[in-house]
Amino acid sequence: MADQNLISEAMRTTPTLLAEWKILTPMLAPLVLAAVSLMLRQKDRWQFHIAVTAALIAMIGSGLLLFDIIIDGPQSLVMSGWLAPFGIAFTADSLSAIFAFVASLVTLLIILYSPADVDKAATKSGYYTLIMMLLVGVNGSFMTGDIFNLYVWFEVMLISSFGLLILGGDKIQLDGAVKYAFLNLLGTTFFLIATGLLYGVTGTLNFADLFAKVAASEATGTLAILSVLFLFAFGIKAAAFPMYFWLPAAYHTPRVAVSAIFAGLLTKIGVYALIRIFTIVFPDGNGAAFELFGVIGGLTIIVGGLGVIAQTELRRMLAYLLMSGVGIMMIGISIHTQLSLMATVQYTVHSMLMMTGLYLLSGVIGRMAGSFEIAKIGGIVMQNHFVAIAYFGLALAAMGLPPFSGLWPKYMMIMAAFEQGYYWLIAAILTGSLLTIIGVGRASIQMIWRGGGVDTPDGQYEARGKRLEGKQLRIMMLPISIIFILTLWLGISPNTLIRQSDLAAYDLLNVEQYIEATFGTGEHE
Amino acid sequence: MEFYLTILVGLIFAASTYMMQSRSVIRLVLGVALLGNAVNLLIFTVGRVTRDIPPIIPADFHGTLTGIANPLPQALILTAIVIGFALFAFVLVLTYRAYESLGTDNSDEMRIAEPKKTQASKLTY
């Protein structure tokens, strides 16, 4: 029966179990519900509930997947039963599941915030549908085991983000969107170029297959160029220096909930792709890439820190704060040890939560003060104590000070750099932190403590902003409070996250399990 | 054949890079569209151009076919064309709307989202 053998080599012969579909829930649930919400787009009251359900299912699905992965190792599923490397594989290791879980959680919180920020017209134009599609793209990128499929998920994410960015169509939004659209389009096109050439060199697109093929390939020069091309493409996505210009040009233009989801998720996809590509496809960096990561990361931290000091607009300041964090994640990839990758994973999770919280809070502060110009905001502590406390907590988390979640990943990153003797990276991290403390601290003094705008004399209170209604404020503060509690919890008791990120870093440095999961689908029956 | 295609891809890349240097947004759009097509041609070329039979298995044939053309690059290009077309349509509408409401197609003059000069106060920290 030669035919039968041939078929069983290319296709799985056992039926797919329902439990194996778990890996698809984080994108399937939002995808189906996004389609439903599009059909019901005239029923604007239903949209919010559909979106909450989608994010909740995605969160629970990725949470359950994470438990499975902790017990059984990476999980995989191939499309239409074509085995890897012929079929498109979805392979999730602990890194994918952690990121998908936090991304779904962040999306859920932003959806909860949205009723205060999104009007009826925007809801009818598909705000919630686009948010769900963004989550589809993000979770799909985390789960996929195929590099071309990763490109497709990037585009799903990109096109939804375009829609969200221009929703409403103000002048300022169109201006920001032009820069965002062109530079991001360039980034994904370079990703496609690199993917095409990688296929030309290795003849495969599957991550697990690429691991062996790239290691065996003799075209080391071409592969070194390709690794730099990938670094460039994902560097644009991650907003690393010097490819970051689209981020501060665009992130302050859309409504606050949209800025928050961009800040929480989009740059992290770039970082995730860098981590994935440079652990499984180019595990030894191929040439100068790892040193390059360090240089780019260090400069990103410093430039981001300087940007935090220089900016006079609250949301632009946060954009540079976000960028400075990306530098720390890139340094973790550069050092490339168990400890540093663990710190990267941990910092990414921390940054997803903290940046979302800060952007959402900037919406509250902007609403209270009637302006996003730091010089015009004042007297927040007199208007509302909770808002002031939340800002302080999240600002401390951003600076990396205890008792919030920013401390531990930064501490571990410095430890990792110390062990490997990268002293200038330590200097970059610490300088960046100092710049952040100065910038964010200065903004806090002005916005929280001073009585009013810049020229208000000391000791006087003359806030001009309008009081927020109780219900509006409650809607806005609920997700922020959840993020506040989470960052505080991760700061006081970091063990849960440390254990997970340790596992993720172990999976990244020991890819055998990932490869086994991708190729072994259906064989264990 | 591959050699000539490579040269052609290089030329299109050069043309699109030149277009993207322009300040005029419409040239930028054309440059990006050209870049997308260059990439499609590139993927086609790296899939190896051969004079083989189409990858269609005869009805009663069992076994491995040899000497068939590689079907994967075509599938990749098809996906990339569809995605590229959608993004191109979006960018075209976006630039038109931006031109309408900002009143300029010069990217140097698109500065509404950039910070304005603010007056420093003597009390600023």
Side-chain angles (χ1 to χ4, degrees):
Chain A
M1 290 305 287
D3 302 354
Q4 203 55 47
N5 279 342
L6 211 63
I7 288 173
S8 67
E9 262 176 51
M11 292 188 82
R12 67 181 284 178
T13 43
T14 51
T16 312
L17 303 174
L18 196 60
E20 291 181 73
W21 281 73
K22 207 180 297 159
I23 186 169
L24 293 184
T25 38
M27 48 271 186
L28 215 52
L31 183 64
V32 171
L33 287 168
V36 170
S37 79
L38 197 62
M39 284 187 271
L40 299 174
R41 63 184 174 281
Q42 291 306 322
K43 312 240 188 260
D44 55 282
R45 283 167 190 225
W46 294 14
Q47 301 280 327
F48 170 75
H49 300 286
I50 295 172
V52 169
T53 318
L56 207 59
I57 296 176
M59 192 178 96
I60 294 170
S62 38
L64 290 175
L65 185 67
L66 182 59
F67 276 118
D68 272 16
I69 289 168
I70 291 170
I71 296 165
D72 295 335
Q75 309 276 313
S76 183
L77 184 65
V78 284
M79 297 299 106
S80 312
W82 287 99
L83 290 177
F86 309 113
I88 296 169
F90 280 85
T91 310
D93 63 355
S94 34
L95 179 77
S96 320
I98 293 169
F99 279 5
F101 178 74
V102 182
S104 309
L105 171 70
V106 161
T107 311
L108 179 66
L109 293 174
I110 286 164
I111 293 170
L112 289 178
Y113 180 96
S114 296
D117 199 38
V118 179
D119 50 17
K120 219 172 179 175
T123 308
K124 281 193 174 165
S125 324
Y127 168 81
Y128 290 105
T129 311
L130 287 168
I131 290 268
M132 277 184 268
M133 284 311 291
L134 192 73
L135 183 63
V136 174
V138 168
N139 280 346
S141 310
F142 290 146
M143 298 295 173
T144 188
D146 185 283
I147 195 162
F148 192 79
N149 204 230
L150 181 65
Y151 163 75
V152 175
W153 290 119
F154 261 70
E155 297 288 17
V156 169
M157 191 173 74
L158 195 63
I159 199 100
S160 337
S161 73
F162 285 168
L164 284 171
L165 193 60
I166 56 157
L167 206 64
D170 286 345
K171 271 186 180 186
I172 186 169
Q173 280 176 300
L174 291 168
D175 188 14
V178 167
K179 290 150 195 168
Y180 177 87
F182 278 109
L183 286 172
N184 271 287
L185 217 51
L186 206 63
T188 41
T189 310
F190 269 91
F191 177 22
L192 187 59
I193 295 172
T195 307
L197 289 172
L198 189 64
Y199 174 72
V201 174
T202 59
T204 184
L205 293 163
N206 186 288
F207 282 140
D209 203 26
L210 277 170
F211 177 73
K213 293 265 167 68
V214 167
S217 172
E218 282 165 10
T220 43
T222 317
L223 287 171
I225 294 171
L226 284 182
S227 70
V228 178
L229 260 181
F230 276 114
L231 175 59
F232 175 70
F234 295 134
I236 291 182
K237 289 276 150 196
F241 180 83
M243 294 86 87
Y244 68 91
F245 293 99
W246 57 272
L247 193 147
Y251 269 27
H252 64 292
T253 59
R255 58 197 77 228
V256 171
V258 175
S259 299
I261 198 161
F262 283 12
L265 304 182
L266 293 194
T267 50
K268 274 67 177 184
I269 299 292
V271 173
Y272 167 80
L274 281 175
I275 297 176
R276 183 62 79 211
I277 298 280
F278 283 91
T279 51
I280 194 154
V281 182
F282 303 112
D284 43 10
N286 284 58
F290 279 161
E291 277 76 30
L292 209 57
F293 267 95
V295 174
I296 292 174
L299 286 172
T300 308
I301 295 179
I302 304 286
V303 173
L306 289 172
V308 170
I309 291 188
Q311 291 305 316
T312 54
E313 213 256 15
L314 178 57
R315 286 177 300 173
R316 280 181 73 96
M317 184 188 89
L318 294 179
Y320 278 96
L321 192 62
L322 173 65
M323 203 190 116
S324 168
V326 168
I328 294 181
M329 298 170 210
M330 294 204 51
I331 282 184
I333 307 173
S334 160
I335 301 172
H336 221 74
T337 58
Q338 167 87 22
L339 188 62
S340 81
L341 282 174
M342 176 181 131
T344 300
V345 175
Q346 215 185 336
Y347 196 89
T348 312
V349 170
H350 149 77
S351 173
M352 279 186 190
L353 289 170
M354 177 269 293
M355 284 317 302
T356 306
L358 273 174
Y359 263 99
L360 292 181
L361 200 59
S362 81
V364 179
I365 291 175
R367 198 76 77 81
M368 279 172 138
S371 170
F372 285 103
E373 293 293 328
I374 293 171
K376 288 181 187 157
I377 305 172
I380 296 296
V381 74
M382 299 292 285
Q383 286 191 53
N384 192 313
H385 295 299
F386 288 110
V387 176
I389 292 170
Y391 182 83
F392 269 125
L394 291 173
L396 285 178
M399 294 167 188
L401 296 178
F404 291 89
S405 58
L407 170 73
W408 301 107
K410 261 188 194 172
Y411 169 72
M412 281 169 198
M413 193 65 80
I414 290 171
M415 286 294 290
F418 195 74
E419 274 175 11
Q420 299 295 315
Y422 291 118
Y423 298 109
W424 73 276
L425 288 181
I426 301 178
I429 295 175
L430 292 180
T431 316
S433 297
L434 181 66
L435 292 173
T436 313
I437 291 175
I438 295 171
V440 176
R442 188 199 56 157
S444 321
I445 292 170
Q446 170 61 41
M447 295 190 305
I448 308 290
W449 290 122
R450 186 169 273 286
V454 213
D455 284 323
T456 315
D458 287 337
Q460 272 188 34
Y461 170 61
E462 41 181 83
R464 282 160 293 183
K466 48 181 186 253
R467 251 187 183 300
L468 279 172
E469 288 171 54
K471 194 185 167 220
Q472 198 87 340
L473 192 66
R474 269 201 298 280
I475 293 177
M476 291 168 112
M477 286 309 284
L478 172 73
I480 297 170
S481 317
I482 295 174
I483 289 175
F484 181 86
I485 291 166
L486 278 175
T487 44
L488 188 62
W489 174 62
L490 290 177
I492 292 173
S493 147
N495 276 342
T496 324
L497 184 58
I498 287 178
R499 217 174 299 132
Q500 297 316 319
S501 15
D502 201 33
L503 190 69
Y506 181 82
D507 278 356
L508 285 172
L509 289 174
N510 303 277
V511 288
E512 295 83 17
Q513 277 191 311
Y514 186 95
I515 293 166
E516 207 176 290
T518 310
F519 283 122
T521 319
E523 272 179 11
H524 44 79
E525 242 72 40
Chain B
M1 189 63 188
E2 276 155 15
F3 177 74
Y4 299 110
L5 275 176
T6 318
I7 302 279
L8 182 63
V9 170
L11 281 176
I12 303 179
F13 268 124
S16 84
T17 312
Y18 176 74
M19 294 286 258
M20 283 192 289
Q21 311 265 328
S22 172
R23 278 194 210 98
S24 162
V25 179
I26 195 75
R27 289 211 188 108
L28 211 58
V29 174
L30 292 176
V32 168
L34 217 49
L35 187 68
N37 286 315
V39 178
N40 291 339
L41 205 55
L42 176 84
I43 297 174
F44 182 67
T45 314
V46 297
R48 309 293 189 274
V49 186
T50 48
R51 283 175 176 273
D52 287 323
I53 53 166
I56 298 167
I57 301 173
D60 49 356
F61 182 83
H62 294 284
T64 323
L65 276 179
T66 47
I68 52 162
N70 186 356
L72 191 67
Q74 297 162 32
L76 300 185
I77 293 169
L78 191 62
T79 316
I81 286 177
V82 173
I83 294 174
F85 182 71
L87 290 176
F88 181 62
F90 175 85
V91 169
L92 215 53
V93 175
L94 174 70
T95 41
Y96 180 65
R97 276 295 309 272
Y99 168 69
E100 256 190 345
S101 69
L102 302 174
T104 174
D105 73 336
N106 185 336
S107 55
D108 273 2
E109 286 166 19
M110 293 187 170
R111 292 195 57 83
I112 294 184
E114 301 299 311
K116 292 162 205 70
K117 262 204 152 65
T118 42
Q119 207 126 39
S121 158
K122 54 182 186 293
L123 279 172
T124 310
Y125 292 99

